[in-house]
Amino acid sequence: MKTPSKFLKLSSLLLLLYFGYSCSNEQETIQDNQLIETKEQQVARPGLKPIGSGVMMQAFYWDVPAGGNWWQTIQGKVQSWSNSGIDAIWLPPVSKAQNGPFSMGYDPFDYFDFGDYNQMGSVETRFGSKTELQSLISAAHGAQLSVIADIVINHNSGGDLEPNPYTGNPYYTDFNPLSGKFYRSASDFHPNANCYSDSGTFGGFPDLSHCQPYVQDWLWKKSNSVAKYYKNVMGFDGWRFDYVKGFEPWVVKEWNNAVGGFSVGEYWDGNAATLDWWSGAAQSSAFDFACYYRMRDAFEGNNLNRLNDDMLWKRNSMKAVTFVANHDTDEIVNGKLLAYAYILTHEGYPTIFYRDYEEWLSKSKLNNLIWIHNNLASGSTNILYTDNDEYVAKRNGYNSSGLIVYINNSNSWQERWVETNWANTRIKDYTGNSNWEPVTQGGKWVKIHVPPKSYSVWAPK
């Protein structure tokens, strides 16, 4: 996540101090009758593509246009995305945040205000109204797409100033959301009587204390908790957990146990072993930052040998969510399409960034790579050759023939003999970058080639 432009309320608006302190456990609200859980609500919604069968779309970027039209913009694209092979869309944080109509949602204030309460300077969020969000989710489900909610539970923002009995200094921890759900006060943040701190704070925001039973109840345990309301009422199918370095992995594990659904954590670390540890402890997928940084070094640093290095997908492909860019980081520039050719032909669950797909790169080429991913890229992976400029790998196939991917970061055509899994078989380049259709030898060897600064993907014709 990025740091919002404003962390705390302007001091000129916060002259009143709250000398009365009330325990958050006394601030319960009446539970919604519609939120009684059933067994059916704990299983995947029927009619949707299985998450991981295709490709995830990150359906936003940092500072998308304000004005409350973003949900409608995305709704107009979900069917075409589904037709192209997308199986899920990841939305930005959907609830009202401190900066109201200008916020990207990463400074959360009221988890149950989806654009229908007049607070923090607006009724709608930056992205639109609750009705428009519900319409988008319904349209996505109609297009067989799952909808991933961005969950920000490390920190909160927008609370009023109140005395803090644990530090002796007043702090912005008095949260009185108009939704009437999940009031918070000093005991719900760090430090408090039970917990001094957890894994880390972010940007000076009040640090939510997950050790407190009241906080656990409102986040995932109660029948109208954030997790259960988002799933059972709003219709979300999975979770992207923001800044999971800020709290312990058991939080994600318990959330997942409470509501199920796909989940992926943003553990921003380039060490594959660390990502593997967090994924196992949280029982969740993780964004493969190790893969991202190795691709950056490979394609921007002109050293494709870096693709031999350790990555999460090589340790546990079922838990690796691969990406080339996102709303926070976009460092692969010159070799970006080559990087997409890499993640869309390799193991892991690939994500496409909205601006790459809709604005910056060739949509037809990305659609071609999505098709290749969904139809040819299966089975284990063998790296066949690497040097500074060339990379060749083989997918061995389990529900398809598999493929050979040849990536070339040099300024000239390259060709190479490779050993395939196919004997006496005519193959073709499914990207259309080459018009060769060679026949593999009886010993399964064949010569393939690739254009400069490009890629080719080979499989039986």
PDB file of all heavy atoms in Angstrom, residues 64-73 101 124-129 132:
ATOM      1  N   VAL A  64      -6.839   6.322  -9.003  1.00  0.00           N
ATOM      2  CA  VAL A  64      -7.837   6.244 -10.076  1.00  0.00           C
ATOM      3  C   VAL A  64      -8.686   7.501 -10.004  1.00  0.00           C
ATOM      4  O   VAL A  64      -8.748   8.167  -8.967  1.00  0.00           O
ATOM      5  CB  VAL A  64      -8.719   4.977  -9.930  1.00  0.00           C
ATOM      6  CG1 VAL A  64      -7.880   3.721  -9.952  1.00  0.00           C
ATOM      7  CG2 VAL A  64      -9.568   5.039  -8.661  1.00  0.00           C
ATOM      8  N   PRO A  65      -9.355   7.885 -11.084  1.00  0.00           N
ATOM      9  CA  PRO A  65     -10.125   9.136 -11.066  1.00  0.00           C
ATOM     10  C   PRO A  65     -11.109   9.184  -9.906  1.00  0.00           C
ATOM     11  O   PRO A  65     -11.863   8.244  -9.652  1.00  0.00           O
ATOM     12  CB  PRO A  65     -10.847   9.117 -12.417  1.00  0.00           C
ATOM     13  CG  PRO A  65      -9.969   8.283 -13.291  1.00  0.00           C
ATOM     14  CD  PRO A  65      -9.394   7.224 -12.397  1.00  0.00           C
ATOM     15  N   ALA A  66     -11.080  10.298  -9.173  1.00  0.00           N
ATOM     16  CA  ALA A  66     -12.058  10.520  -8.114  1.00  0.00           C
ATOM     17  C   ALA A  66     -13.392  10.917  -8.742  1.00  0.00           C
ATOM     18  O   ALA A  66     -13.491  11.120  -9.945  1.00  0.00           O
ATOM     19  CB  ALA A  66     -11.550  11.597  -7.158  1.00  0.00           C
ATOM     20  N   GLY A  67     -14.398  11.031  -7.896  1.00  0.00           N
ATOM     21  CA  GLY A  67     -15.695  11.455  -8.401  1.00  0.00           C
ATOM     22  C   GLY A  67     -16.776  10.402  -8.294  1.00  0.00           C
ATOM     23  O   GLY A  67     -17.928  10.638  -8.672  1.00  0.00           O
ATOM     24  N   GLY A  68     -16.428   9.217  -7.801  1.00  0.00           N
ATOM     25  CA  GLY A  68     -17.445   8.207  -7.541  1.00  0.00           C
ATOM     26  C   GLY A  68     -17.899   7.399  -8.733  1.00  0.00           C
ATOM     27  O   GLY A  68     -19.008   6.842  -8.718  1.00  0.00           O
ATOM     28  N   ASN A  69     -17.049   7.286  -9.780  1.00  0.00           N
ATOM     29  CA  ASN A  69     -17.454   6.560 -10.988  1.00  0.00           C
ATOM     30  C   ASN A  69     -16.704   5.254 -11.218  1.00  0.00           C
ATOM     31  O   ASN A  69     -16.972   4.569 -12.202  1.00  0.00           O
ATOM     32  CB  ASN A  69     -17.250   7.459 -12.218  1.00  0.00           C
ATOM     33  CG  ASN A  69     -18.111   8.696 -12.174  1.00  0.00           C
ATOM     34  OD1 ASN A  69     -19.306   8.625 -11.867  1.00  0.00           O
ATOM     35  ND2 ASN A  69     -17.518   9.848 -12.478  1.00  0.00           N
ATOM     36  N   TRP A  70     -15.766   4.923 -10.305  1.00  0.00           N
ATOM     37  CA  TRP A  70     -14.887   3.792 -10.609  1.00  0.00           C
ATOM     38  C   TRP A  70     -15.623   2.458 -10.620  1.00  0.00           C
ATOM     39  O   TRP A  70     -15.344   1.602 -11.463  1.00  0.00           O
ATOM     40  CB  TRP A  70     -13.717   3.736  -9.640  1.00  0.00           C
ATOM     41  CG  TRP A  70     -12.658   2.779 -10.095  1.00  0.00           C
ATOM     42  CD1 TRP A  70     -12.319   1.589  -9.525  1.00  0.00           C
ATOM     43  CD2 TRP A  70     -11.822   2.919 -11.240  1.00  0.00           C
ATOM     44  NE1 TRP A  70     -11.311   0.980 -10.246  1.00  0.00           N
ATOM     45  CE2 TRP A  70     -10.986   1.780 -11.304  1.00  0.00           C
ATOM     46  CE3 TRP A  70     -11.695   3.898 -12.229  1.00  0.00           C
ATOM     47  CZ2 TRP A  70     -10.044   1.600 -12.315  1.00  0.00           C
ATOM     48  CZ3 TRP A  70     -10.755   3.716 -13.237  1.00  0.00           C
ATOM     49  CH2 TRP A  70      -9.948   2.581 -13.269  1.00  0.00           C
ATOM     50  N   TRP A  71     -16.562   2.250  -9.695  1.00  0.00           N
ATOM     51  CA  TRP A  71     -17.299   0.977  -9.707  1.00  0.00           C
ATOM     52  C   TRP A  71     -18.039   0.794 -11.026  1.00  0.00           C
ATOM     53  O   TRP A  71     -18.084  -0.322 -11.568  1.00  0.00           O
ATOM     54  CB  TRP A  71     -18.276   0.907  -8.545  1.00  0.00           C
ATOM     55  CG  TRP A  71     -17.712   0.952  -7.158  1.00  0.00           C
ATOM     56  CD1 TRP A  71     -18.297   1.505  -6.056  1.00  0.00           C
ATOM     57  CD2 TRP A  71     -16.469   0.388  -6.680  1.00  0.00           C
ATOM     58  NE1 TRP A  71     -17.517   1.346  -4.940  1.00  0.00           N
ATOM     59  CE2 TRP A  71     -16.378   0.657  -5.300  1.00  0.00           C
ATOM     60  CE3 TRP A  71     -15.426  -0.307  -7.290  1.00  0.00           C
ATOM     61  CZ2 TRP A  71     -15.286   0.252  -4.510  1.00  0.00           C
ATOM     62  CZ3 TRP A  71     -14.333  -0.710  -6.515  1.00  0.00           C
ATOM     63  CH2 TRP A  71     -14.276  -0.434  -5.148  1.00  0.00           C
ATOM     64  N   GLN A  72     -18.604   1.862 -11.553  1.00  0.00           N
ATOM     65  CA  GLN A  72     -19.309   1.766 -12.834  1.00  0.00           C
ATOM     66  C   GLN A  72     -18.332   1.491 -13.977  1.00  0.00           C
ATOM     67  O   GLN A  72     -18.637   0.729 -14.902  1.00  0.00           O
ATOM     68  CB  GLN A  72     -20.088   3.061 -13.090  1.00  0.00           C
ATOM     69  CG  GLN A  72     -21.215   3.297 -12.099  1.00  0.00           C
ATOM     70  CD  GLN A  72     -21.849   4.664 -12.266  1.00  0.00           C
ATOM     71  OE1 GLN A  72     -21.156   5.688 -12.287  1.00  0.00           O
ATOM     72  NE2 GLN A  72     -23.166   4.700 -12.373  1.00  0.00           N
ATOM     73  N   THR A  73     -17.147   2.105 -13.906  1.00  0.00           N
ATOM     74  CA  THR A  73     -16.128   1.852 -14.936  1.00  0.00           C
ATOM     75  C   THR A  73     -15.766   0.375 -14.979  1.00  0.00           C
ATOM     76  O   THR A  73     -15.702  -0.244 -16.054  1.00  0.00           O
ATOM     77  CB  THR A  73     -14.872   2.694 -14.651  1.00  0.00           C
ATOM     78  OG1 THR A  73     -15.202   4.073 -14.722  1.00  0.00           O
ATOM     79  CG2 THR A  73     -13.763   2.376 -15.643  1.00  0.00           C
ATOM     80  N   PRO A 101     -13.834  11.351  -0.025  1.00  0.00           N
ATOM     81  CA  PRO A 101     -13.983  11.222  -1.473  1.00  0.00           C
ATOM     82  C   PRO A 101     -12.656  11.187  -2.218  1.00  0.00           C
ATOM     83  O   PRO A 101     -12.643  10.939  -3.428  1.00  0.00           O
ATOM     84  CB  PRO A 101     -14.786  12.476  -1.854  1.00  0.00           C
ATOM     85  CG  PRO A 101     -14.413  13.476  -0.813  1.00  0.00           C
ATOM     86  CD  PRO A 101     -14.275  12.684   0.457  1.00  0.00           C
ATOM     87  N   GLU A 124     -20.479   9.189  -0.773  1.00  0.00           N
ATOM     88  CA  GLU A 124     -19.822   8.163  -1.566  1.00  0.00           C
ATOM     89  C   GLU A 124     -18.336   8.075  -1.215  1.00  0.00           C
ATOM     90  O   GLU A 124     -17.737   9.041  -0.714  1.00  0.00           O
ATOM     91  CB  GLU A 124     -19.964   8.456  -3.064  1.00  0.00           C
ATOM     92  CG  GLU A 124     -21.381   8.325  -3.580  1.00  0.00           C
ATOM     93  CD  GLU A 124     -21.443   8.375  -5.098  1.00  0.00           C
ATOM     94  OE1 GLU A 124     -20.426   8.758  -5.730  1.00  0.00           O
ATOM     95  OE2 GLU A 124     -22.496   8.021  -5.663  1.00  0.00           O
ATOM     96  N   THR A 125     -17.733   6.939  -1.481  1.00  0.00           N
ATOM     97  CA  THR A 125     -16.284   6.820  -1.437  1.00  0.00           C
ATOM     98  C   THR A 125     -15.704   7.385  -2.728  1.00  0.00           C
ATOM     99  O   THR A 125     -16.448   7.811  -3.619  1.00  0.00           O
ATOM    100  CB  THR A 125     -15.841   5.355  -1.288  1.00  0.00           C
ATOM    101  OG1 THR A 125     -16.172   4.640  -2.489  1.00  0.00           O
ATOM    102  CG2 THR A 125     -16.521   4.695  -0.093  1.00  0.00           C
ATOM    103  N   ARG A 126     -14.404   7.381  -2.854  1.00  0.00           N
ATOM    104  CA  ARG A 126     -13.763   7.805  -4.098  1.00  0.00           C
ATOM    105  C   ARG A 126     -14.313   7.020  -5.294  1.00  0.00           C
ATOM    106  O   ARG A 126     -14.397   7.527  -6.408  1.00  0.00           O
ATOM    107  CB  ARG A 126     -12.255   7.583  -3.995  1.00  0.00           C
ATOM    108  CG  ARG A 126     -11.468   8.054  -5.209  1.00  0.00           C
ATOM    109  CD  ARG A 126      -9.996   7.636  -5.140  1.00  0.00           C
ATOM    110  NE  ARG A 126      -9.219   8.293  -6.179  1.00  0.00           N
ATOM    111  CZ  ARG A 126      -8.442   9.353  -5.992  1.00  0.00           C
ATOM    112  NH1 ARG A 126      -8.329   9.879  -4.783  1.00  0.00           N
ATOM    113  NH2 ARG A 126      -7.776   9.896  -6.988  1.00  0.00           N
ATOM    114  N   PHE A 127     -14.722   5.763  -5.032  1.00  0.00           N
ATOM    115  CA  PHE A 127     -15.058   4.843  -6.114  1.00  0.00           C
ATOM    116  C   PHE A 127     -16.541   4.811  -6.453  1.00  0.00           C
ATOM    117  O   PHE A 127     -16.925   4.345  -7.525  1.00  0.00           O
ATOM    118  CB  PHE A 127     -14.602   3.427  -5.743  1.00  0.00           C
ATOM    119  CG  PHE A 127     -13.203   3.386  -5.191  1.00  0.00           C
ATOM    120  CD1 PHE A 127     -12.974   3.066  -3.864  1.00  0.00           C
ATOM    121  CD2 PHE A 127     -12.118   3.700  -6.000  1.00  0.00           C
ATOM    122  CE1 PHE A 127     -11.684   3.040  -3.353  1.00  0.00           C
ATOM    123  CE2 PHE A 127     -10.831   3.678  -5.491  1.00  0.00           C
ATOM    124  CZ  PHE A 127     -10.606   3.351  -4.163  1.00  0.00           C
ATOM    125  N   GLY A 128     -17.408   5.281  -5.517  1.00  0.00           N
ATOM    126  CA  GLY A 128     -18.829   5.264  -5.796  1.00  0.00           C
ATOM    127  C   GLY A 128     -19.655   4.979  -4.568  1.00  0.00           C
ATOM    128  O   GLY A 128     -19.192   5.085  -3.427  1.00  0.00           O
ATOM    129  N   SER A 129     -20.902   4.579  -4.776  1.00  0.00           N
ATOM    130  CA  SER A 129     -21.852   4.334  -3.703  1.00  0.00           C
ATOM    131  C   SER A 129     -21.929   2.847  -3.383  1.00  0.00           C
ATOM    132  O   SER A 129     -21.439   2.000  -4.137  1.00  0.00           O
ATOM    133  CB  SER A 129     -23.242   4.834  -4.114  1.00  0.00           C
ATOM    134  OG  SER A 129     -23.764   4.019  -5.164  1.00  0.00           O
ATOM    135  N   GLU A 132     -23.779   1.072  -6.139  1.00  0.00           N
ATOM    136  CA  GLU A 132     -22.944   0.821  -7.317  1.00  0.00           C
ATOM    137  C   GLU A 132     -21.955  -0.311  -7.067  1.00  0.00           C
ATOM    138  O   GLU A 132     -21.667  -1.109  -7.971  1.00  0.00           O
ATOM    139  CB  GLU A 132     -22.210   2.103  -7.704  1.00  0.00           C
ATOM    140  CG  GLU A 132     -23.145   3.161  -8.274  1.00  0.00           C
ATOM    141  CD  GLU A 132     -22.513   4.547  -8.323  1.00  0.00           C
ATOM    142  OE1 GLU A 132     -21.486   4.776  -7.656  1.00  0.00           O
ATOM    143  OE2 GLU A 132     -23.083   5.413  -9.020  1.00  0.00           O
TER     144      GLU A 132
END
